[in-house]
Amino acid sequence: MTLLPPDVLADRLRSGLLSFPVTHFDADLEFDEPRYREHLAWQTGFDVAGLFAAGGTGEGFSLTPPEIDRVVRAAVDEVGGRVPVVAPATGGTAASAAQARAAQDAGASGVLLFPPYLTEASQRGLVEHVSAVCRATDLGVIVYSRANAVLSDVTVAEVAQRNPNLIGLKDGVGDIERMTRTYARVGDRLIYIGGLPTAETFALPLLQLGVSTYSSALYNFAPEFALRFYAAVRRQDRDAVYGMLNEFVIPYLDIRDRGRGYAVSIIKAGLTAIGRDGGRVRPPLTDLTDDERGELAMLIQKVG
């Protein structure tokens, strides 16, 4: 597969809605590649600008490195010719760099760099972490700012200056001042992606801060609704956005917020509710209760 230049990938991703496909498991919680491929083929039947394989909603944190490689390769083989596939880089610096190299070998279009696992780091340390991963690959890299790896505006500017293949910042914090400072300092050198759980909730206000697109977990089971919502955000139709928030997103959040980790579990339950069998999540996540599944199914019916 021809390498997608980082600037071309950036233009593709900023052009529309992004999504994190779930990773399907069988009854023994092993990767179910046929169901995963079927899901990806369905997802690319709608107008999505990029798919992030084995990411947060894809339970990438629960996968071994060989499993991540298998998931990424399945995604590239199934839909890589139609939609950019962005692979994860997780863990410490050495592990993340290795995964970035594996992503390039697998034919992925880009890399999403997740926070390091179970460690705190200074801004100087994060500069070196991001730079090491960028040096490990020719692919475009997006850094996910959240948890123990929240990047300051000065840090973002430095890593952008040092690493030509750093193409984006995914914001998982929602700090208005931080994003304002970052966009003011760095401008359009990077693309800015909304990455808070159920990103639709924050999409309209963050648009004003330079966050031009976001990753929609809802797209997994309600792609048409997710695309209508994204279109309303892009045209800044406040009435339509808040109408859909009240109709579906906020009641959905009420279910999601009942359990820790439900941000992933509820997506798989949503797929099952529409007859596409999302399956179970891996521990330490837990699945929705039967009552919650029923409540979610009734909610989904209201939006078609």
Side-chain angles (χ1 to χ4, degrees), residues 66-150:
E67 286 176 323
I68 289 175
D69 188 62
R70 185 179 170 198
V71 170
V72 170
R73 288 180 180 276
V76 169
D77 182 65
E78 187 66 33
V79 301
R82 287 171 280 167
V83 176
V85 173
V86 180
T90 63
T93 304
S96 294
Q99 288 185 38
R101 288 189 289 269
Q104 183 167 332
D105 290 344
S109 298
V111 171
L112 177 63
L113 175 57
F114 283 82
Y117 173 72
L118 200 61
T119 187
E120 290 71 40
S122 66
Q123 292 296 302
R124 172 56 46 199
L126 292 173
V127 167
E128 298 305 326
H129 175 68
V130 174
S131 297
V133 174
C134 287
R135 289 195 303 270
T137 180
D138 298 319
L139 298 177
V141 176
I142 299 162
V143 60
Y144 199 171
S145 180
R146 66 173 292 177
N148 59 331
V150 177

Side-chain angles (χ1 to χ4, degrees), residues 173-203:
V173 182
D175 184 318
I176 293 175
E177 180 179 343
R178 187 181 297 272
M179 275 306 305
T180 299
R181 284 175 174 268
T182 299
Y183 188 77
R185 185 179 292 272
V186 182
D188 292 332
R189 161 65 182 84
L190 300 175
I191 58 173
Y192 302 93
I193 299 170
L196 288 154
T198 313
E200 281 82 0
T201 318
F202 311 91

Side-chain angles (χ1 to χ4, degrees), residues 163-179:
N163 303 287
N165 64 327
L166 183 72
I167 64 168
L169 174 74
K170 187 175 183 194
D171 174 53
V173 182
D175 184 318
I176 293 175
E177 180 179 343
R178 187 181 297 272
M179 275 306 305

